[in-house]
Amino acid sequence: MSNIPPIIHKTRTQLVVEALRERILSGDIQGGEPLRQSAIAEQLNVSRIPVREALVQLEAEGLINFEPHKGATATLLSVEQVTELFELRAMIESDLLAKAIPNLSDKDLVEAEAVLVQLELAFKLKESVASWSELNTRFHTRLYQAANRPHTMEVVNGLNTNCDRYIRLQLLFTGGIPIAEREHRVLLELCKNRDIEKATTLLREHILHASASITKLVEQKIKS
């Protein structure tokens, strides 16, 4: 019985947050598009209260803005935001990995590889696009947790939430999947070998390469 996962009861607000987050990250709701509370409530068959609460949470995640006279709108794609977010990730995550590698247990590495296998399988299925960023984050997180820096992990989680839609755009439209698969595998091997210098250098390059690809893509989308 111990292997049965607990039943998680989600509030209406949580359900609305997840539904809207998925639509924004997938591009179904475009940047700059207004989010009308009454229309969302009707579509999701809920009252306006959980919709209002969900919009506040999504604003905290950086996925929507509240603008005077316009209300809530989906956040626009921004080259400046991509640069800032990914430079922060490169700095913070490489430092986390350096602190984590000496503490990585065999169990940590086995679990990280298990997540990586799931991610590689998901990459082969276009209908699994929604799971790509989550599995990517889980893989990296599994390696970082051994650093025992919970507050830093909170910062990384916030950055990943804001990077989510950009990462999906990169993987879908820039041919980033083969590169990501190769670099993830090499990164895991370097962690197994406890090679801190090469692992952190690769991780930094992995993140900044993604940033460069996304920047080109965002520039194209802004011009089109």
Side-chain angles (χ1 to χ4, degrees), residues 13-66:
T13 299
Q14 288 172 313
L15 293 170
V16 175
V17 166
E18 290 176 7
L20 291 178
R21 184 194 287 130
E22 177 56 36
R23 290 182 63 193
I24 293 169
L25 295 176
S26 68
D28 185 31
I29 295 175
Q30 296 288 319
E33 185 176 331
L35 299 166
R36 308 295 183 199
Q37 293 184 26
S38 56
I40 294 168
E42 186 175 345
Q43 289 169 8
L44 299 179
N45 195 28
V46 295
S47 72
R48 291 178 64 172
I49 294 172
V51 173
R52 187 160 52 246
E53 292 171 347
L55 292 176
V56 169
Q57 183 172 329
L58 291 168
E59 182 190 31
E61 294 180 6
L63 295 177
I64 70 165
N65 292 318
F66 280 102

Side-chain angles (χ1 to χ4, degrees), residues 6 23-24 35 54 66 96 113 116 119 142 146 175 190 194 201:
R23 290 182 63 193
I24 293 169
L35 299 166
F66 280 102
L96 263 181
E113 187 157 16
L116 187 54
L119 177 58
R142 207 67 207 80
L190 291 172
R194 316 293 170 175
T201 298

